[in-house]
Amino acid sequence: MQILDGKIASAAIKEKLKLIVEKRKAENKKTPHLAVIIVGNDGASETYVSSKVKTSEELGFGSTLVRMDADIPEALLLDQIKTFNDSIDIDGILVQLPLPKHISEARVIEAIDPAKDVDGFHPVSAGRLVQGLETFVPATPYGIMLMLEHFGVETTGKHAVVIGRSNIVGRPMSILLSSQHPFGNCTVTVCHSKTKDLASFTRQADIVVAALGKPEFLKADMVKDGAVVIDVGITRVPDATKKKGFAIKGDVAFEEVAPKTSWITPVPGGVGLMTIGALMMNTLKACERKD
Ligand code: NAD
């Protein structure tokens, strides 16, 4: 068993990005600039947003963070997005999800200029991904592809089972793994909450991507020997022994599954770190397009 270590792979991405930004600065080219909007003060969202802003700064990107109260009218959020759409300096716009119930996520995502849609959630980006056209790939599946590439994990001709069909992770992941790409070319099965006898699918899989948000869902008897297991899940589980009062759990029962695998991602320290690296790659791409 080998670890798909997000620290190692994301450090390599960050190093590459830093050098590109330094070179752009030396050539008097524009520095990538990411704008992030957070609505309300959800603890997990705060953590994600602060690491996105911190990473932007580490890499020499510009960053703008706008905080809005949980009860703001949707129209105000749409106005803020328009301001960022119209700004020449801002290359990428990210609205941290989830949003409060009274705000339509679909309307908010569609309000973002597709040229600045570095999260890759806009229907234009999703449609282009389906058609194999150049686009912004949602950061988590993109980060997983970068991780497979970094560690040279063979995917061509393999059977991949993706658990979860969300627009953010499962759906784009299944499209990428089935695409004609050196780290795609899989035969893909998508499982979801209505799948019957899910274990009968995962047991056949050479690659399992678990993205359902159910802590330690994937057990050893659901995985075949030598499988590659990618754990996307991040759930806060109450844990009195931890300083913060919770532990972070993935969707894979790591201790029992890991010994059966050829490669596995840990949680934390796996996919989450890659997501941020991929987001930064998308922001650089948005900036480079303006060159
Ligand atoms: P989601 O709730 O939008 O989607 C979950 C999917 O899992 C759904 O398609 C549903 O059909 C499926 N599902 C739910 N219960 C199931 C079951 N018992 N059996 C089979 N399928 C089931 O969630 P999401 O946004 O796709 O996120 C999934 C997980 O990944 C969450 O834990 C989330 O926190 C995590 N996540 C991590 C990162 C990261 O950077 N590591 C990024 C995004 C999401």
Side-chain angles (χ1 to χ4, degrees), residues 184-207:
N185 291 320
C186 291
T187 303
V188 178
T189 302
V190 181
C191 295
H192 46 75
S193 53
K194 299 286 187 284
T195 299
K196 294 207 168 81
D197 193 9
L198 185 140
S200 69
F201 296 99
T202 55
R203 277 191 209 112
Q204 294 175 47
D206 303 305
I207 300 170

Side-chain angles (χ1 to χ4, degrees), residues 48 139-140 163-170 191-195 198 210-214 217 231-235 249-251 270-276:
Y48 297 142
T140 300
I163 313 173
R165 56 179 165 183
S166 71
N167 290 338
I168 294 174
V169 190
C191 295
H192 46 75
S193 53
K194 299 286 187 284
T195 299
L198 185 140
L212 67 160
K214 301 259 181 286
F217 174 88
D231 189 352
V232 183
I234 299 182
T235 307
K249 294 276 179 208
D251 288 344
V271 172
L273 296 172
M274 298 307 294
T275 297
I276 297 182

